[in-house]
Amino acid sequence: MPNNKILVIDDEEVVIAAIKRSLKREGCKIISANNGKDGLEMYAREQPILILLDIRMPNMGGVEFLEHLKLSPSGPCSVIVLTGHGDDAIMEKCFKMGVSSFLKKPYNLYELIGLVRHAIALKQTQREITEYQRHLELLTENLQKTTVSKEYVDNIVNNMVEALIVVNPDSSIKKVNHSTLNLLGYEEDELIKKPIAIIIADEEFKRDGIEDLIKKGFVGGAEKNYLSKQGEKIPVLFSSSVMREKDGNVQGVVCIASDITKRKQSESALKESEERYRTLVEAIPDIVYRIDVNGYFTFISPSIRNLGYEPNELIGKHFSGIINQKDTESLSRNKILPEYNGKNTGDGNAPKLFDERRTGKRLTKNLEARLAPKIRDEGNNEEMEYVGLITAFGEVGDSEQYDSSKSKFIGTFGIIRDITEKTRFEAETIRAGQFAILGELSASVAHEVNTPINSIANCAQLLLDEFNNKNIDNDLIKIIISESDRIANVTRSLLSFARAKESDKSYINVNDLLMDVLTLTGMQLKTCNINVEIDIEPALPDIVAHPQRVQQVFFNIINNARDALNNKSGDSRGGDKTIKIIGEKALINSNPYVLITFYDNGGGISADKINKVMTPFFTTKPRGKGTGLGLSISNRIINDHNGTIKIESSQGEYTKVIISLPVVD
């Protein structure tokens, strides 16, 4: 059974945990230690094939650990150094002590996996070649003791897949097999008795020659470069063993090599691809992340520094750590999905989750969430508010460890785009729209307030006269109370809409919101001789919404209907003009909704324009009469409440605006 043990030596448990989660699907058994001293004991006991080593640790650091380990190319283990503190001097020292790779934190998860795969494959290949060479030596020894013919031995050698070269003690080539000739492009007589140096491209070998191989006695799994007849360098995995006479004198050196050109090309392509990926990810301003099945970061791009975090400090931490606590419970699948148990939401109304596991139409897109930055506002030491737009999709990986389908969810990729400025701009735009509506309402409000005030003043004067005559009339008092209530209702509705600070979402009654809006717009509609018909089901269920935003949508639609009716009649006071408002319960994809329909018998919208009316700055009103933002803002508000706006119209006859808002149990 192949050795798949990896020893992780790091003093940070979160790093160890992240590596365990990342490499588990590679079929590796992960063991760990928190310092070099414990790592040596673990290495001696477990004999791992690969060590992932940190440099700076308590008790014994990585460099001291390597000094005790005494790595060798033919040894049973490889080492990859992972550190955020390494400089060029430390890197050079580590490489001289036999380290195979050096990866600086924060590292790309796939770069780490690629290095681990390469290191394990290389070491296993070395072991296989070593084992093969030992069998070959045993075979040679046994053949020397038998009377098997030379042709039989040559047949075995020439049918080997690996390139075999036998070298004399004077460095001349004594024997080559067919694989060697095919690999290098030589004929046999072009190599026999020639110096081995003509087919070795490495300067180190040219300097030390065959004497170094004889001195070492055995070399297993070293990477070298052969040189073809055409002068092309061919990377090989090289092993050698010394043959001796019975008296101990050197008879020659057997060299075995495997062509690793394709593997080197794959490694180079992988490295280039990873470098392009890293460069791209580091260049874009959006935050790119990957979390495992439990929501813990396995990768996060350097753009997270805009929120005050270092990428490395978040590896192994949960995603919720960068989300505002107020939003956490409304975004995580563990909190949300139980509420949807047994419900058929359809693609359009599927819940949006930061730890998405779906693809296609149900993929999480444009999930708006408040982020929790590490940085603070220097003025008041409070957290600055950032808003991120999250797009996330589940990742499915193949592995033979799983069932026959060879597929299992392994994590989520996502992108977070900072929309703080965009959100602020939209809020200012919405606020500007509210002020515009308030401007339109000011004349109506003045009339609504002045009329009851005049009535109150007159009634008060009459009461004064009655008191003087001692003939008190209760009807006058009732008029005063009624007109006072009228002023109070107008003032309350106006203040509700114009409240300076928008509240969080809350349970609200659609009928109450409509009545507040009609209280403020009633005089305008009455002045324009517009008849308002209201048909709202009793006990209409509450919705969860921002009251001021939904009110603004109602204002926009009613004002649009008023303008359409006046434009059709050509007279703000004449014509048969009607606005109907219908409120009813409905089921959409088996889920409860509230439908609010606004109908007017105005001029309608032409077929070529109806698909454009919710586009920002598009308007059907005369120049100077509209901004083209009312319906686009309204559409965005309703979408933010997981609802929809649908417009039906027939030019010259009617317009119908249907708003659907979900009912939350």
Side-chain angles (χ1 to χ4, degrees), residues 449-460 483 487:
V449 172
N450 285 332
T451 300
I453 285 178
N454 185 61
S455 298
I456 291 171
N458 290 335
C459 288
E483 296 299 81
I487 294 174

Side-chain angles (χ1 to χ4, degrees), residues 48-69:
I49 193 172
L50 177 63
I51 298 174
L52 303 181
L53 179 67
D54 192 15
I55 290 295
R56 294 188 182 178
M57 295 177 290
N59 296 332
M60 181 187 290
V63 175
E64 187 178 356
F65 172 85
L66 291 171
E67 291 172 345
H68 284 79
L69 190 62

Side-chain angles (χ1 to χ4, degrees), residues 267-469:
E267 290 174 359
S268 178
L270 176 62
K271 187 174 182 180
E272 290 178 7
S273 175
E274 289 172 345
E275 186 60 32
R276 287 195 298 269
Y277 169 76
R278 177 186 288 273
T279 301
L280 175 64
V281 168
E282 291 181 351
I284 63 176
D286 298 340
I287 299 169
V288 180
Y289 69 89
R290 185 184 185 279
I291 54 178
D292 64 13
V293 293
N294 297 311
Y296 293 90
F297 285 112
T298 56
F299 171 79
I300 192 161
S301 67
S303 296
I304 193 65
R305 293 191 179 105
N306 293 331
L307 297 182
Y309 298 98
E310 285 298 320
N312 188 52
E313 71 177 294
L314 291 177
I315 301 300
K317 301 288 181 64
H318 199 267
F319 186 94
S320 58
I322 66 168
I323 298 294
N324 188 298
Q325 289 184 353
K326 295 179 181 179
D327 288 352
T328 302
E329 292 193 359
S330 63
L331 303 177
S332 174
R333 64 187 304 103
N334 293 335
K335 301 288 185 180
I336 295 299
L337 291 190
E339 300 178 7
Y340 286 82
N341 188 27
K343 296 181 180 179
N344 180 17
T345 63
D347 293 339
N349 298 308
K352 296 180 179 180
L353 310 164
F354 71 77
D355 45 357
E356 185 57 87
R357 299 188 179 188
R358 301 167 298 198
T359 56
K361 293 181 179 179
R362 296 173 66 83
L363 171 70
T364 287
K365 295 179 181 178
N366 300 331
L367 167 59
E368 193 169 304
R370 288 171 290 185
L371 305 179
K374 188 176 181 181
I375 56 179
R376 293 179 175 272
D377 188 336
E378 296 179 359
N380 54 23
N381 199 36
E382 293 181 356
E383 282 191 352
M384 301 168 66
E385 182 163 304
Y386 283 77
V387 182
L389 203 62
I390 301 172
T391 297
F393 58 94
E395 180 194 11
V396 176
D398 292 339
S399 172
E400 294 179 357
Q401 299 175 43
Y402 304 121
D403 56 22
S404 58
S405 66
K406 295 185 180 181
S407 63
K408 185 176 181 179
F409 173 73
I410 58 176
T412 301
F413 275 111
I415 298 175
I416 302 174
R417 175 163 295 170
D418 184 358
I419 59 167
T420 305
E421 292 302 321
K422 178 174 177 287
T423 303
R424 289 173 181 167
F425 173 76
E426 288 179 350
E428 290 172 0
T429 304
I430 291 172
R431 196 67 185 159
Q434 290 176 321
F435 283 125
I437 293 172
L438 286 174
E440 293 182 20
L441 293 172
S442 59
S444 176
V445 170
H447 184 278
E448 285 289 319
V449 172
N450 285 332
T451 300
I453 285 178
N454 185 61
S455 298
I456 291 171
N458 290 335
C459 288
Q461 183 61 52
L462 290 173
L463 276 178
L464 181 60
D465 294 341
E466 293 292 335
F467 271 115
N468 291 334
N469 297 328

Side-chain angles (χ1 to χ4, degrees), residues 171-213:
S171 298
S172 63
I173 297 174
K174 181 179 181 179
K175 173 71 177 177
V176 294
N177 67 353
H178 290 167
S179 293
T180 302
L181 300 176
N182 292 335
L183 177 65
L184 302 179
Y186 284 100
E187 297 294 332
E188 185 176 9
D189 58 2
E190 293 179 298
L191 291 178
I192 301 301
K193 297 183 180 182
K194 298 296 191 299
I196 184 67
I198 69 170
I199 64 166
I200 304 291
D202 299 336
E203 292 299 324
E204 181 181 351
F205 183 85
K206 291 180 181 295
R207 183 183 70 247
D208 299 332
I210 199 72
E211 292 81 6
D212 185 58
L213 296 181

Side-chain angles (χ1 to χ4, degrees), residues 475-495:
D475 290 341
L476 295 177
I477 297 175
K478 291 178 181 179
I479 293 173
I480 291 175
I481 294 172
S482 174
E483 296 299 81
S484 298
D485 288 342
R486 183 177 170 190
I487 294 174
N489 287 335
V490 172
T491 305
R492 177 182 59 79
S493 299
L494 188 61
L495 289 176

Side-chain angles (χ1 to χ4, degrees), residues 508-518 547 550-551 554:
I508 59 173
N509 185 277
V510 173
N511 191 27
D512 292 343
L513 286 184
L514 277 170
M515 292 305 103
D516 286 343
V517 172
L518 290 173
V550 177
Q551 274 186 317
F554 294 166

